Amino acid sequence: MAKKPTMPPSEIREKYQAKPGSRPGGRGPGGRGRPMEKPKDAIGTTKRILKYLHGYEWQLGIVALTLVVTAVTGVAATYFLKPIFNDLAVMVGQEDPDLTHFISTLLTLGGIYLISILSSYLYSRLMLNISTGILRRVRVDVFRHMQGLPMQFFDSHHHGELMSRFTNDTDTLRELISNGLPHTVQSLITIVGVFGMMLFLSWQLTILVIVMLLVIFLIIAKVGGRSANYFIRQQRAIGQINGFIEEHIEGQRVIKVFCHENTTVQEFAALNEQWREAAANAQTFGGMMGPIMGNLSHVHYAATAALGAALAIGGWLDIGTIASFLQYTRNFSNPVTQISQQFNSILSALAGAERVFALLDTPHEEDQGDVTLVYARRQADGSMTESPERTGHWAWKVPENDGYTYVEVRGDVRLYDVSFGYTPEKTVLKHISLYAKPGQKIAFVGSTGAGKTTITNLINRFYEIQSGSITYDGIDLTRIRKADLRRSMSMVLQDTHLFTGTVRENIRYGRLDATDEEVVAAAKLANAHFFISHLPQGYDTVLTGDGANLSQGQRQLVAIARAAVADPPVLILDEATSSIDTRTEKLIERGMDTLMEDRTVFVIAHRLSTVRNSAAIMVLEQGEIIERGDHEELLRQGGRYHDLYTGMFELD
C-alpha cells in the first residue's frame, strides 16, 4: 500500500508558493514560486485574444465565408430531403415513374455536399496557419515581456511554473483559436439556420424545440459554471507541478545524497493529487455535457416524431416535411452538443489565457534614467567626445540644458547612508556608506546573510534602495539607464550559468562583437585556454545542460573569461573562485590581477587569502559595516577580521 504524504496537499502547495516580498531565491530563504493573480474578466480576456488576430483579416474573412457556406450547405442539404421523400411517396406503386425530378434533386444534393467538403478543407488549412501564427506571436510577446521584468520577479517565481506559460497555457490558447471559437461560430450559424428552416416547415413542431432549448440552457448554466472553476484550478496545479519538477530535477544530486527520494515522491504525489482532483472534476463536469445533450436530443427526436406523426394523420403535414424536420432535429441538437463540448476547451483556454495575460500585465522594470553609456575619444585638451566605434574609452552622456556633457567612465562608485530591505518589515542593510575610487579593489567579508551580495545587487540596480543614495562617477545611479549601467559592469557569480552552445559562444556572451582573437585572449587571461584547447573540439566544443560536460571549476573559468572579454570599467566577483582549487587559484591570480588592473573591483569572498591585496576590506555583520580598512590595518585592530584570518572565528 502506498504511503500517505508526509504533509497534506494544502501545506505542500504553500511550501511551493513564495510569500509576497520574500527574499529572492539562490541565497537565503524564499525563492518559492507561486501562481500569479489572474484576471477574472472573461470578456476582457476574450477581447485581448482577438487582438492577436490583427494581420490575419483577409484569411479570417475567407474563414468566416467558409464557415457560413459550410453551415448553409448543411441546412440546405437537409431541406432537400423533403422533395426526395415526397417524390418517393408519389412514385411508390407506379409502373413507369418519371425520375427526372428525383435525379435532378439528387444531383443538386451531391453538388451541395461537394461545396461543403471544399469549404471545410479550405477552412481547416487557413485555421492551421492562423492558429500557429498567433501561437508564435503570443510566445514572442511573453518572452520579450519577460526580458523587461525585474530580477525580483524571477527570484520569487518557480522557473517551471513560468515555463508552463509558454507550453500548457499557450497551447490551450491555440486550441481555442483553431477549434473552439470556429466550431462554436459554425454551430451558432447552423443553429440559427436550422431554427429558421424549422419555423418555415412547421411552427407547431418548432414550439417543442423552444421548450427543449430552455432546458438545455439551464443545464449549461448549472454544469458549466462549476466546470469553469475546476478548469482554472487545473491550470494552476499544472504550473505548480512544473515548478516542483524543475526544482527537483536540478537538485537531484542533493536528493540522492540525503536519501530524500521517498519524501520527494510523496510531495510530488500530493501535488499530483491536487491536479488529479481538479482535472477529474473539470473533466467530469465538462464530460457530463455530452451525455446530457445526447440523451436530451434522443428525447427531443422521439417527441418530435410522435407529434409529427399526429400532425400528418390530421393532414397538417406531409411525409417529406416530417423527414426533413426530424433531420433538422438532429442537425439542431448536434451543434448544441458541440457548443457544450467546446465549452470545456473554451474554459480551459480562457484559464490559460488569463495566466498568460497576468504575466504580460506584470509591470516592467522601471527605468527613468536619461544618462547613457557611449564610446568616447579623448581630445588633446583632455575632454571627451562621443565616438560611433569602439575606442577602448567610455563616457557617460549626460543631458544638460539643451545639450550633453560627457563624463569619463572611471569606476568611482560611492554609497551614502544606504538602507535596504527585501521586505519593509526586515532591513537587510543599515546605513551603509563606502566608496570605491577608480582602480581600487574593495572586498566584502562576513557571515552568510550579512548583506554582501545585496550591496552588489543594489549597485547593479537589480533592486532599488529604500533610503540613501549611490553615485557612479559623481552621477546619481537612478539617472543612469539600467541597461547602460549594467553594460559598464561585469559579474562573475558563485553559481555560474552556461548556455547551450560552443565554448567560444559562451565566452563571447560577455561581448557579442568580440573577435575570435579577443575570445582566446580572454580565455588565456582567465587561465582557461589550456583546458579548452584539450577539449574534443577545442573552442568549438558544444556545452549542454548548463555545461554539464565541464567540471565546476572549468565552468567558473569560462565565466571569468566571459567577464574578461566584456572589458568593463567595473568588475564584481561574487565568490568567483569558490569552485577552483587553491593550486588553480594561484595560477590564475596573475591573470586576475591583470583583469582587475585599472578597474574598480568589488570582491565577495570567504577565502580571506583572495582579499589580502584589497585597497579596503569591509567586514559586514547583520547588514552593518563593523570594520573597515586594509589587511594590515584590520589585523592590527584585533577585531572580527583578525579572528577570521587567524582561525579564531569561522564564517557561517
Side-chain angles (χ1 to χ4, degrees), residues 52 135-149 154 162-163 165-166 170 173 355-357 359-360 364:
Y52 280 96
L135 182 64
R136 176 186 62 84
R137 284 184 179 181
V138 172
R139 284 181 171 159
V140 168
D141 282 355
V142 173
F143 191 81
R144 182 185 293 115
H145 185 81
M146 289 180 67
Q147 304 312 302
L149 295 178
F154 297 99
L162 294 177
M163 278 298 301
R165 311 298 169 104
F166 288 93
T170 53
L173 188 57
R355 286 162 53 83
V356 171
F357 293 141
L359 186 139
L360 289 174
H364 266 182

Side-chain angles (χ1 to χ4, degrees), residues 146-334:
M146 289 180 67
Q147 304 312 302
L149 295 178
M151 282 299 300
Q152 186 174 12
F153 175 84
F154 297 99
D155 287 339
S156 58
H157 290 88
H158 263 306
H159 298 167
E161 198 271 340
L162 294 177
M163 278 298 301
S164 70
R165 311 298 169 104
F166 288 93
T167 53
N168 301 314
D169 295 329
T170 53
D171 279 341
T172 59
L173 188 57
R174 178 191 58 80
E175 182 67 21
L176 171 67
I177 295 172
S178 63
N179 291 319
L181 288 179
H183 286 166
T184 300
V185 171
Q186 182 180 350
S187 297
L188 289 173
I189 296 173
T190 302
I191 289 172
V192 172
V194 168
F195 187 80
M197 292 304 298
M198 283 179 165
L199 197 59
F200 173 74
L201 291 173
S202 172
W203 64 266
Q204 299 96 331
L205 294 178
T206 306
I207 293 176
L208 182 60
V209 173
I210 295 173
V211 173
M212 294 301 298
L213 269 180
L214 294 175
V215 175
I216 289 171
F217 288 147
L218 287 174
I219 293 174
I220 291 177
K222 185 70 174 177
V223 178
R226 300 193 66 179
S227 178
N229 181 47
Y230 285 114
F231 268 109
I232 291 175
R233 293 187 189 181
Q234 175 183 313
Q235 291 302 113
R236 181 187 303 160
I238 289 174
Q240 291 174 342
I241 288 175
N242 285 343
F244 183 93
I245 292 173
E246 183 264 344
E247 181 180 83
H248 285 73
I249 287 178
E250 287 186 356
Q252 195 61 227
R253 187 183 302 274
V254 178
I255 292 172
K256 292 187 180 298
V257 166
F258 292 99
C259 303
H260 280 312
E261 292 92 337
N262 291 335
T263 302
T264 302
V265 169
Q266 290 169 359
E267 291 184 352
F268 177 78
L271 288 173
N272 210 24
E273 173 61 21
Q274 291 179 63
W275 171 84
R276 185 207 64 78
E277 181 182 353
N281 283 314
Q283 297 300 327
T284 296
F285 284 101
M288 287 170 60
M289 302 295 288
I292 291 174
M293 295 299 107
N295 287 319
L296 284 176
S297 69
H298 295 320
V299 172
H300 185 203
Y301 189 88
T304 302
L307 181 58
L311 293 173
I313 293 172
W316 290 87
L317 298 176
D318 55 48
I319 189 68
T321 299
I322 295 176
S324 293
F325 201 99
L326 285 174
Q327 187 59 37
Y328 276 130
T329 301
R330 287 292 190 198
N331 291 349
F332 189 80
S333 60
N334 286 340

Side-chain angles (χ1 to χ4, degrees), residues 107-151:
L107 290 175
T108 303
L109 184 61
I112 291 173
Y113 279 127
L114 179 61
I115 294 173
S116 178
I117 291 171
L118 292 176
S119 63
S120 296
Y121 172 77
L122 183 58
Y123 146 77
S124 299
R125 292 285 304 200
L126 288 174
M127 283 311 302
L128 177 64
N129 180 58
I130 293 171
S131 61
T132 53
I134 289 174
L135 182 64
R136 176 186 62 84
R137 284 184 179 181
V138 172
R139 284 181 171 159
V140 168
D141 282 355
V142 173
F143 191 81
R144 182 185 293 115
H145 185 81
M146 289 180 67
Q147 304 312 302
L149 295 178
M151 282 299 300

Side-chain angles (χ1 to χ4, degrees), residues 384-435:
M384 307 293 290
T385 59
E386 187 173 352
S387 171
E389 56 189 21
R390 188 178 182 86
T391 61
H393 295 285
W394 303 82
W396 298 114
K397 187 177 181 180
V398 184
E400 196 170 275
N401 299 326
D402 294 331
Y404 295 96
T405 299
Y406 294 93
V407 178
E408 181 182 3
V409 177
R410 298 181 301 122
D412 188 316
V413 180
R414 299 170 184 260
L415 281 71
Y416 299 95
D417 196 29
V418 170
S419 295
F420 170 78
Y422 291 100
T423 61
E425 298 79 20
K426 184 177 180 181
T427 302
V428 177
L429 296 178
K430 307 168 186 175
H431 306 290
I432 299 295
S433 294
L434 60 90
Y435 63 86

Side-chain angles (χ1 to χ4, degrees), residues 416-419 465-470:
Y416 299 95
D417 196 29
V418 170
S419 295
I465 61 176
Q466 294 168 347
S467 65
S469 64
I470 303 177

Side-chain angles (χ1 to χ4, degrees), residues 276-582:
R276 185 207 64 78
E277 181 182 353
N281 283 314
Q283 297 300 327
T284 296
F285 284 101
M288 287 170 60
M289 302 295 288
I292 291 174
M293 295 299 107
N295 287 319
L296 284 176
S297 69
H298 295 320
V299 172
H300 185 203
Y301 189 88
T304 302
L307 181 58
L311 293 173
I313 293 172
W316 290 87
L317 298 176
D318 55 48
I319 189 68
T321 299
I322 295 176
S324 293
F325 201 99
L326 285 174
Q327 187 59 37
Y328 276 130
T329 301
R330 287 292 190 198
N331 291 349
F332 189 80
S333 60
N334 286 340
V336 172
T337 303
Q338 278 190 359
I339 290 177
S340 66
Q341 291 173 343
Q342 290 297 332
F343 193 65
N344 299 336
S345 64
I346 290 173
L347 291 175
S348 179
L350 286 177
E354 286 177 341
R355 286 162 53 83
V356 171
F357 293 141
L359 186 139
L360 289 174
D361 290 336
T362 303
H364 266 182
E365 189 174 21
E366 291 187 8
D367 189 0
Q368 299 176 349
D370 58 356
V371 177
T372 56
L373 184 69
V374 297
Y375 297 129
R377 290 188 189 279
R378 187 186 301 279
Q379 301 300 309
D381 60 359
S383 63
M384 307 293 290
T385 59
E386 187 173 352
S387 171
E389 56 189 21
R390 188 178 182 86
T391 61
H393 295 285
W394 303 82
W396 298 114
K397 187 177 181 180
V398 184
E400 196 170 275
N401 299 326
D402 294 331
Y404 295 96
T405 299
Y406 294 93
V407 178
E408 181 182 3
V409 177
R410 298 181 301 122
D412 188 316
V413 180
R414 299 170 184 260
L415 281 71
Y416 299 95
D417 196 29
V418 170
S419 295
F420 170 78
Y422 291 100
T423 61
E425 298 79 20
K426 184 177 180 181
T427 302
V428 177
L429 296 178
K430 307 168 186 175
H431 306 290
I432 299 295
S433 294
L434 60 90
Y435 63 86
K437 293 182 179 180
Q440 281 190 334
K441 178 180 177 181
I442 306 298
F444 300 109
V445 299
S447 304
T448 299
K452 305 182 298 296
T453 299
T454 300
I455 292 177
T456 60
N457 284 338
L458 297 181
I459 294 173
N460 269 287
R461 286 192 70 191
F462 288 151
Y463 293 86
E464 300 295 339
I465 61 176
Q466 294 168 347
S467 65
S469 64
I470 303 177
T471 63
Y472 191 157
D473 293 327
I475 304 170
D476 193 292
L477 217 60
T478 57
R479 287 201 60 190
I480 302 175
R481 191 173 298 170
K482 289 184 178 180
D484 293 275
L485 170 67
R486 293 163 188 167
R487 198 153 57 97
S488 73
M489 302 179 181
S490 275
M491 292 187 71
V492 182
L493 304 175
Q494 179 181 9
D495 301 320
T496 60
H497 181 82
L498 301 180
F499 296 94
T500 298
T502 64
V503 175
R504 190 190 315 277
E505 290 169 342
N506 270 278
I507 295 176
R508 187 176 279 130
Y509 201 83
R511 180 163 58 88
L512 297 180
D513 60 351
T515 63
D516 289 347
E517 292 75 15
E518 289 173 324
V519 168
V520 173
K524 290 179 177 178
L525 190 64
N527 203 48
H529 178 72
F530 178 78
F531 89 82
I532 294 174
S533 301
H534 287 76
L535 293 175
Q537 285 82 39
Y539 282 85
D540 294 318
T541 301
V542 176
L543 305 179
T544 58
D546 198 13
N549 43 343
L550 299 180
S551 70
Q552 181 64 29
Q554 289 172 333
R555 292 170 59 195
Q556 208 151 28
L557 289 175
V558 172
I560 293 172
R562 183 162 59 193
V565 80
D567 193 26
V570 175
L571 189 63
I572 298 174
L573 306 176
D574 189 351
E575 298 284 0
T577 58
S578 63
S579 299
I580 300 174
D581 59 84
T582 52

